[in-house]
């Protein structure tokens, strides 16, 4: 049973690394293949995020910009990344990355922000760090570590195709 618990950092780290990898891949693909258009912050959503850890409940005030942009003559909206401080102001000019995807030309849009790449990199780094830590434990052989990482990446890739 101990060997299973020692593989938990590898399993959890692999999941975090896979999430970070695919979020980063999607963000870089959007930036490489999308069109950058100007946008403007027309609203700022404010809400309270609740978290429970170890029986303790905490609340954090979060802010998310609503950005209006025009693409092919149509006015559209996209929401930016939520953070716990007020980073944007009404009327602020921001860039929006837009691209058509799939056969039905559905639009994918994202506010061009450092968090678009930063958050996936953080997930990837934390995941790889946990995998590295798990690989140093006594029962986690390099072969087991590589197999778990490969399985999670393959499953993530198959899910990403859908």
């Amino acid at each position: 049973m101990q060997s299973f618990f020692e593989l938990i950092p590898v399993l959890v780290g692999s999941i975090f690394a896979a999430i970070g990898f695919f979020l980063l891949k999607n963000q870089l693909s959007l930036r490489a293949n999308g069109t950058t258009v100007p946008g403007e912050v027309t609203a700022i959503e404010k809400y309270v995020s609740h978290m429970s850890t170890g029986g303790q409940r905490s609340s954090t005030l979060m802010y998310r910009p609503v950005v209006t942009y025009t693409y092919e003559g149509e006015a559209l909206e996209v929401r930016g990344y939520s953070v716990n401080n007020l980073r944007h102001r009404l009327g602020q000019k921001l860039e929006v990355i837009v691209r058509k995807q799939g056969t039905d030309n559905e639009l994918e849009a994202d506010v061009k922000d450092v968090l678009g790449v930063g958050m996936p990199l953080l997930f990837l780094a934390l995941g790889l760090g946990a995998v590295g830590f798990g690989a140093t434990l006594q029962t986690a052989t390099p072969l087991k570590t590589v197999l778990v990482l490969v399985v999670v990446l393959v499953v993530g890739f198959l899910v990403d195709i859908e």
Side-chain angles (χ1 to χ4, degrees):
M1 194 61 149
Q2 182 181 3
S3 67
F4 171 76
F5 288 117
E6 288 186 358
L7 282 177
I8 288 176
V10 174
L11 290 170
V12 173
S14 295
I15 292 168
F16 267 72
I19 289 169
F21 174 77
F22 290 106
L23 289 174
L24 184 61
K25 179 182 87 62
N26 289 338
Q27 185 64 225
L28 294 177
S29 173
L30 176 63
R31 288 177 183 230
N33 302 312
T35 303
T36 302
V37 296
E40 181 178 336
V41 177
T42 54
I44 296 176
E45 293 179 345
K46 182 170 96 170
Y47 63 94
V48 177
S49 173
H50 301 283
M51 291 187 70
S52 295
T53 52
Q56 301 244 344
R57 189 173 165 102
S58 65
S59 300
T60 305
L61 190 57
M62 302 293 285
Y63 302 92
R64 176 176 42 214
V66 178
V67 180
T68 302
Y69 64 98
T70 303
Y71 184 73
E72 294 183 346
E74 185 177 355
L76 301 163
E77 273 185 359
V78 65
R79 280 156 177 69
Y81 297 95
S82 296
V83 293
N84 63 352
N85 59 10
L86 194 56
R87 295 178 57 221
H88 302 288
R89 64 188 183 288
L90 290 176
Q92 182 179 352
K93 305 296 183 201
L94 296 176
E95 291 183 325
V96 177
I97 308 165
V98 184
R99 77 170 165 188
K100 290 183 179 179
Q101 62 180 15
T103 55
D104 58 355
N105 286 329
E106 184 179 323
L107 281 183
E108 178 182 8
D110 195 14
V111 175
K112 190 173 185 180
D113 191 343
V114 69
L115 293 176
V117 174
M119 292 306 289
L121 281 175
L122 179 64
F123 268 74
L124 184 60
L126 288 173
L128 291 176
V131 168
F133 170 75
T136 65
L137 298 175
Q138 196 172 19
T139 59
T141 65
L143 178 61
K144 287 180 189 175
T145 303
V146 169
L147 284 175
V148 168
L149 190 56
V150 166
V151 167
V152 170
L153 288 174
V154 167
V155 169
F157 181 74
L158 293 174
V159 169
D160 190 48
I161 291 174
E162 300 294 311

